[in-house]
Structure formats: structure tokens, C-alpha cells
Amino acid sequence: MNHRTSHLRLGVLALLWGASFLLIKLALTAMSPAQVTFTRIALGAAVLVALCAVRGLRMRLDRRLLPHVVVAGFFASALPWVLLGIGERTVDSGLAGAVNATTPLWTLLFGYVLGARGGFSPRMLGGLVVGFGGVLLILAPWQGASAGTGVLACLAAAASYGVGYVHIGRKLTGTGAPAPVLAALQLAAATGLAAVVLPLEGLPAVRFDAVALLAVAVLGVFGTGVGFALNYRLIADEGATVASTVTYLMPVVSVLLGWLVLGERLSWRVLLGIALVLAGVALTRNRTARPRPARDRAAGAPADRAPDGAPRVAPAHPYTDLATNHPMK
């Protein structure tokens, strides 16, 4: 890596995002899924607005982009987080984290369905087959209804991320708007959407539990707000490929924390399914060279060469990096 602190940032980011499934599980002991989602989004939005203020970024956007920000807030934030909360009522946090690792597969698939630029190489198609084969192994439909609605809700959350990221790639990426501003506005829109959902649950009373309330606070402030800042810095310093390593670390962290903190256990079938999902994601991210970090561009490094002389090429698919590096994960 180009910066000595990047390893630390990557580790902290993997811990924050991997721990989010444990924190959701803990928060659900005192709050409903919609309440957890609303609180998390509102806290994360506050952190990102503060980050923009510190950096002197104005919270303004072309009015033509605002509807697209709302759509992104729905599919990439509000809906998947509510679904994860619903899913984790009956699903272990580690398993939820493992299912969430299918997000890049869904993004690639929806990108193709919605007419994304760039085709699938045989290797990428093989990655989709391997990855969704892992999902099938986790669901184990041959065992009847063993998967349950909880796992299906978590899988739907990952699919929702996919739709949201494709929309972001088609309508918001490359518009010239600063990424922190887009993310802050996306969470602001998601906060309003989550507020609409709250009455649908009948506004259940929040049970006072220090651990649960602390969990949702950490989830919003650190998992969402601070996590975004770390991811943004990693992409700027090291490039998207290095930053995307967190995709492979997150399910490992979620499974380990679920086992250590909650005593959750996973069968060999599920562990093998997780391995297949991650292998499938790795195949869909096939590259022949490394991306060009922002610091190299600023330093005037040749566009087709890395500092060590290695050639650079474009990503294999326009949504490959977006699926694994979007700050609202």
C-alpha cells in the first residue's frame, strides 16, 4: 500500500462494517427494525453533514439529480437496512453478513438487466454461477423451509443494494457532485423515507437497554458515518481495488463476532456456501492490472502505467468497483 496507515484504516473499516450485523442484532432487543433503521440513518446523516461542513463542501445539488438521490436513498439505504433488521429477528448475525456478501453479484446482474455498458466475460459469468451456487447451498431448499423468511429478507436486502448501486452508477456517478455531498444527501433522503415507515409498525415503545441503545448509536455514528469517511480516504489513497478488499473481510468479521459475542454456530454447509460466494465475487472482479490511485493522478503519473511500471486497464465491468466500495454499505 502507498500509505502506512492504510492497513489500519482497512482493518478498522472491515471491523466497523463487519460488526454492523452484530450491532443490528443487539439493537433489535430494544427497538423494532424500522426504529433501528431510522436511528442509524439519522445519526449517519448527521456525521456526513458535519464532515461536509468541516471540509467546506456546500450541501447543494442540481435539482434534476434530487429524484435520483431519493431513489438511491430508498434502494441503497432505507429498504435494505429495514430488510436486514427484519431478517435478523430470526437469522444469526454472522449468516446475515455472509448473505450480504452477495451484493456485488446482484449489482453485476442488475447492471446487465438494466442495460449497463460492458459485457460479461466467461470468467465473470462463471463467477455469477459460483456465487449464486453458494447462495443456493446456504438456502438449502432441498431441506424444505429451513432457510426461512429471515434469510430471504437478508438476500432481498443484498438485491436492493444491487438495484441502488446500479441506479447510482447510471444517474449520479460522474455528475461532478462531490461524493461526500451525494452520500449526505442520500442519507438525508433515506431518513425521511425511514420516518414514513415508522408508523406502519404501530410505533412500539422502545425498551430501555443500555447495550442495545449503545449498539444502534455505534452503528449510526461509526458504522455509517465514520465508515464512509474511512472508505473515501482509502479509495483516494490506494484506489478502489485495495479498498474493495473490505468486501472479503466483512463476512469473516461478522461470522467471528457472532461466534465470539453471541455464541452463534454455523454448519459446514453454510461455511462452504460463504466460501463459494466470496470466490464468485472474486471472479466477477477479474482484472489484468491495478487501478490508478487518486494520489498518483495528482502527482501526474502516466495514465497507462503504475509507479512501478505495471500496465493499467479499465475495470472488467462499470459497476464492479461501485458494488464493493459504495460508502453506504
Side-chain angles (χ1 to χ4, degrees), residues 35-314:
Q35 289 170 334
V36 172
T37 299
F38 173 79
T39 306
R40 170 187 185 176
I41 293 175
L43 291 174
V47 172
L48 294 183
V49 169
L51 175 65
C52 290
V54 169
R55 297 189 57 187
L57 298 174
R58 300 180 65 182
M59 298 290 294
R60 297 183 62 182
L61 198 65
D62 189 326
R63 285 183 296 178
R64 293 174 296 179
L65 296 179
L66 289 178
H68 301 304
V69 170
V70 173
V71 172
F74 178 74
F75 283 105
S77 297
L79 180 59
W81 290 345
V82 169
L83 288 171
L84 283 173
I86 294 173
E88 288 201 50
R89 278 179 159 173
T90 56
V91 171
D92 287 345
S93 63
L95 182 56
V99 172
N100 185 76
T102 64
T103 296
L105 304 178
W106 289 109
T107 306
L108 201 60
L109 184 61
F110 286 126
Y112 178 78
V113 171
L114 296 176
R117 301 180 305 278
F120 287 172
S121 68
R123 183 184 179 102
M124 295 174 73
L125 285 172
L128 287 174
V129 172
V130 170
F132 283 117
V135 173
L136 190 64
L137 190 60
I138 292 173
L139 295 179
W142 54 86
Q143 294 185 1
S146 60
T149 57
V151 173
L152 295 178
C154 293
L155 193 61
S160 179
Y161 277 134
V163 174
Y165 296 166
V166 170
H167 184 79
I168 290 168
R170 289 165 59 91
K171 302 298 184 180
L172 295 175
T173 300
T175 59
V181 172
L182 283 175
L185 291 174
Q186 177 182 320
L187 277 194
T191 302
L193 292 169
V196 172
V197 176
L198 283 175
L200 300 180
E201 290 187 322
L203 296 176
V206 176
R207 187 173 70 86
F208 181 79
D209 182 292
V211 173
L213 297 180
L214 178 61
V216 75
V218 172
L219 182 64
V221 174
F222 294 97
T224 303
V226 176
F228 163 77
L230 289 173
N231 187 60
Y232 185 78
R233 179 64 181 273
L234 268 175
I235 294 174
D237 287 349
E238 305 294 344
T241 298
V242 172
S244 69
T245 307
V246 72
T247 303
Y248 308 99
L249 299 176
M250 283 172 56
V252 176
V253 172
S254 67
V255 169
L256 286 177
L257 288 179
W259 173 62
L260 290 172
V261 178
L262 301 177
E264 297 174 352
R265 296 185 180 277
L266 293 176
S267 66
W268 284 107
R269 172 180 56 79
V270 173
L271 292 175
L272 180 57
I274 294 172
L276 288 175
V277 168
L278 295 181
V281 171
L283 288 171
T284 61
R285 290 184 52 77
N286 179 38
R287 292 173 180 268
T288 57
R290 289 166 289 181
R292 190 182 185 201
R295 68 187 299 271
D296 292 344
R297 296 195 300 270
D304 61 341
R305 293 280 166 178
D308 59 3
R312 304 184 191 275
V313 296

